[in-house]
Amino acid sequence: MFEHSRTQSLFERDDEERQLALQYLAEAWRNADVEGVEKEALAHAALFAAIATLVEQYGEEPIAKLLEKLPGQVQLGEYTVDRTIQ
């Protein structure tokens, strides 16, 4: 799902820590897929873990404000991995 060539533009090329983190997540995602975990269940668990981690780090209010921006970002295609930019 998260192949390196497609996701490289998501982060700055010099942001090695985020690239490494994404590689770990991609490996875990592939392993879960091989084990038969449904992608929707995996995605829900990943979102829960990510949001819970951010809330723990920054608190509820800042993360709630961050999440308010998500609908617009999704509609703009920022989370569409296979999109073609013209």
Side-chain angles (χ1 to χ4, degrees):
M1 171 172 205
F2 302 113
E3 293 159 19
H4 180 69
S5 62
R6 286 196 228 162
T7 57
Q8 195 167 15
S9 63
L10 292 177
F11 302 112
E12 296 295 322
R13 293 181 192 271
D14 61 348
D15 196 342
E16 293 176 17
E17 188 171 359
R18 287 187 182 186
Q19 284 292 334
L20 180 60
L22 189 57
Q23 289 173 9
Y24 279 120
L25 288 173
E27 182 179 340
W29 195 280
R30 283 189 297 273
N31 290 339
D33 191 39
V34 167
E35 293 292 323
V37 176
E38 290 186 23
K39 290 180 181 179
E40 287 182 23
L42 184 57
H44 185 267
L47 280 171
F48 178 84
I51 294 169
T53 299
L54 290 171
V55 167
E56 183 178 22
Q57 183 73 28
Y58 300 105
E60 284 112 359
E61 288 302 313
I63 300 310
K65 288 179 182 178
L66 174 72
L67 293 175
E68 287 174 357
K69 299 175 184 177
L70 280 178
Q73 292 171 325
V74 171
Q75 291 169 336
L76 289 173
E78 291 185 27
Y79 294 91
T80 304
V81 177
D82 292 329
R83 73 181 172 147
T84 302
I85 300 174
Q86 296 181 2

